[in-house]
Amino acid sequence: MPEIKKAIIIGAGPAGIAAAIRLTKHNNISCTVYELRPVPTTLGGAIGIPSNGLRLFDRLGLYNALSTKGSVASRFRLHFAQGGGVVEADVIPEEVRQKTGFSLMRIKRVELMDVLLHTASEMNIPIHFGKKIVTITEDDEEDTKSNSSITVTFSDGTTDSADLLLGCDGIHSAVRTQYVDPSCQPEYSGVSGTCVILPTSALSAESHESLQAINVSLTTEGAFALVPCTAAGDELFFVFSRKVPLPESGDTRDGWEEHRKKEVESFKNMLLDGVLKDVHGKWGEVLTQAVNGTSSVSFYPVYRLPLGGRWFRGRCLLMGDAAHAMQPHAGQGVSMAVEDVFLLSRLLKDGEGGDTSLSEVFEKFERVRRPRIDRIYETAARNGERRKQTGPWGLWAKEWVMWAGILASKAIGKQVTFISNPEDLVYDIDEVEI
């Protein structure tokens, strides 16, 4: 394989910055990051990172910093909307904790990015904002054994060339749509979320201790979750996700903007007068307090990429959401991106000085990653189906099926998990056979 001295990384999100840190430290590759937005983004609510991802953040040297910012509360409470009952379990099985040394972290996206960007700055990794891609060209796309290069041209007239180009620019990736796989376009999952980050102090003091857990409730209209998202437990992530039809508008963007205005403007009334009237007991009171304590609301339709898209071309590889964006309902989006990063780093290291071409490295990357990505993708899609609207009897059936499943698992000594299978949570990309 030709020596990889320099990499251009498009996208300054979690995938891009993690790739720059790992390749700089482990592979001694000089990385330069380019980001479309003019400043670091503050978009997004709270992100879940389970044990398989936390282990890799620890190997990046970032876990201690993240643990000062994110919540590691992993107790799961399912609140029965109609009966007021509660069933509890741990979202991360004990066997997973023992094997990995990690559980689950919920952290605000802005805090995750602060840690990543601070580390990149300390390592003197250049990050350039406000850079829009115009073209991507290669000296010889078919020859990935020689020391030729790939060049990116930006809208401000500047260019940069490197031995390797990584597209880490998310679901709407310019690298994918302009170069690697223009035919692969995002599709609407059918689920949308309305979310808020609010201070814990907005709720009554007697409920604070019980809120240091992942609290979930199914309703006839969708699903609520109220979870801590800071280490201090002083802020909560409150989300209501449900099935929302694709807008009838010929311009989807305009249709979603209309949806957004309606959702945000009517959020409190819709929940208080509609959905929450069916949620009884103390939990209903807590949710009512959370709604009343809301000052700003975000509405987002959940998109994903169809499976089977192309991931590489020439000296260019897509990673993270740019390659395989999935629904957030398995809590694995960021972890899948970091697994991509570690596998690429490992393959590049193994190929040093050998007779392997860069395209062969990418082919091996794809062979290893596709089965796992497909499995997690399908898990996320199935979990998203729980957000479907249903009648009172359908809701009753959902609740009691979940309750019976938890009790049956406990009775036979099986660990319960609600996001991914235990084997997916203990998966170690550094140990998988390649």
Side-chain angles (χ1 to χ4, degrees):
M1 189 176 67
E3 184 179 4
I4 306 296
K5 295 181 179 179
K6 179 180 176 181
I8 294 172
I9 300 173
I10 306 298
I17 304 301
I21 293 170
R22 178 64 176 177
L23 294 181
T24 299
K25 282 185 176 180
H26 189 70
N27 301 82
N28 198 30
I29 295 174
S30 174
C31 297
T32 302
V33 182
Y34 293 95
E35 167 60 42
L36 174 64
R37 295 182 179 89
V39 295
T41 179
T42 58
L43 298 175
I47 294 171
I49 309 175
S51 49
N52 55 298
L54 290 177
R55 176 164 49 190
L56 298 182
F57 275 110
D58 186 55
R59 290 174 186 168
L60 282 175
L62 304 181
Y63 179 79
N64 289 340
L66 293 175
S67 65
T68 67
K69 298 175 179 291
S71 169
V72 292
S74 63
R75 194 67 182 164
F76 176 89
R77 291 194 181 101
L78 174 66
H79 299 260
F80 289 5
Q82 298 175 108
V86 179
V87 62
E88 295 190 31
D90 204 304
V91 75
I92 302 294
E94 182 60 29
E95 65 186 79
V96 173
R97 297 169 185 266
Q98 292 176 357
K99 289 181 180 179
T100 66
F102 298 96
S103 179
L104 172 74
M105 181 180 293
R106 176 72 63 173
I107 186 171
K108 293 193 294 183
R109 190 179 193 278
V110 66
E111 299 283 17
L112 171 63
M113 289 310 306
D114 278 350
V115 170
L116 287 165
L117 290 168
H118 177 73
T119 301
S121 176
E122 286 188 327
M123 296 173 62
N124 296 314
I125 296 171
I127 304 176
H128 303 282
F129 292 91
K131 305 290 282 189
K132 181 180 179 181
I133 296 175
V134 175
T135 59
I136 298 172
T137 57
E138 294 195 43
D139 294 343
D140 185 351
E141 182 184 328
E142 301 303 320
D143 178 14
T144 57
K145 282 192 174 183
S146 67
N147 288 306
S148 52
S149 63
I150 186 166
T151 300
V152 182
T153 302
F154 299 97
S155 60
D156 59 6
T158 59
T159 64
D160 197 2
S161 298
D163 310 301
L164 172 67
L165 173 64
L166 299 179
C168 301
D169 48 342
I171 188 171
H172 300 291
S173 169
V175 178
R176 186 187 69 250
T177 57
Q178 293 186 34
Y179 190 68
V180 177
D181 191 2
S183 66
C184 184
Q185 296 294 324
E187 61 183 23
Y188 178 50
S189 69
V191 178
S192 291
T194 310
C195 64
V196 177
I197 291 181
L198 73 159
T200 307
S201 59
L203 282 69
S204 60
E206 60 266 22
S207 64
H208 288 183
E209 183 178 352
S210 65
L211 290 173
Q212 298 311 303
I214 301 167
N215 292 279
V216 174
S217 185
L218 304 178
T219 75
T220 56
E221 295 296 317
F224 282 103
L226 189 59
V227 297
C229 58
T230 60
D234 57 345
E235 289 186 280
L236 300 166
F237 183 57
F238 177 36
V239 61
F240 175 51
S241 54
R242 59 175 178 162
K243 287 280 187 177
V244 175
L246 193 69
E248 295 180 1
S249 167
D251 185 328
T252 303
R253 179 173 297 178
D254 287 346
W256 280 130
E257 193 58 38
E258 182 180 346
H259 262 300
R260 180 174 288 107
K261 290 178 181 178
K262 289 180 179 178
E263 289 282 336
V264 172
E265 289 173 1
S266 65
F267 179 67
K268 291 187 178 182
N269 289 336
M270 180 267 292
L271 293 182
L272 293 174
D273 298 338
V275 179
L276 289 182
K277 68 180 181 181
D278 295 326
V279 182
H280 306 301
K282 291 184 178 180
W283 176 235
E285 296 174 8
V286 170
L287 289 180
T288 299
Q289 291 172 19
V291 174
N292 286 328
T294 296
S295 58
S296 63
V297 177
S298 297
F299 169 76
Y300 62 95
V302 176
Y303 277 77
R304 63 193 179 194
L305 289 178
L307 293 174
R310 186 177 182 181
W311 288 359
F312 66 90
R313 174 182 172 184
R315 293 168 186 77
C316 179
L317 175 69
L318 301 175
M319 296 201 299
D321 281 355
H324 45 69
M326 60 185 66
Q327 293 172 229
H329 305 119
Q332 286 280 8
V334 169
S335 296
M336 291 300 99
V338 182
E339 286 185 2
D340 286 351
V341 167
F342 271 74
L343 178 59
L344 176 64
S345 173
R346 179 183 172 189
L347 292 172
L348 291 175
K349 196 76 171 178
D350 290 348
E352 288 178 357
D355 194 33
T356 304
S357 69
L358 197 55
S359 62
E360 289 172 324
V361 168
F362 292 165
E363 287 167 2
K364 186 174 288 188
F365 175 95
E366 187 169 332
R367 284 198 303 272
V368 173
R369 292 301 287 155
R370 283 227 186 246
R372 176 159 172 80
I373 291 296
D374 290 355
R375 185 170 62 253
I376 301 294
Y377 183 103
E378 296 294 349
T379 297
R382 286 195 303 273
N383 291 347
E385 287 300 304
R386 295 174 183 168
R387 278 77 178 165
K388 292 177 68 173
Q389 295 177 348
T390 186
W393 284 105
L395 173 60
W396 179 88
K398 280 184 183 180
E399 290 179 333
W400 285 97
V401 165
M402 291 185 70
W403 174 82
I406 292 171
L407 290 186
S409 296
K410 289 182 177 180
I412 62 175
K414 182 181 177 181
Q415 294 288 336
V416 181
T417 182
F418 297 94
I419 51 175
S420 301
N421 294 323
E423 57 267 28
D424 288 326
L425 297 172
V426 300
Y427 181 93
D428 190 345
I429 193 65
D430 282 343
E431 299 296 330
V432 67
E433 183 178 347
I434 58 176

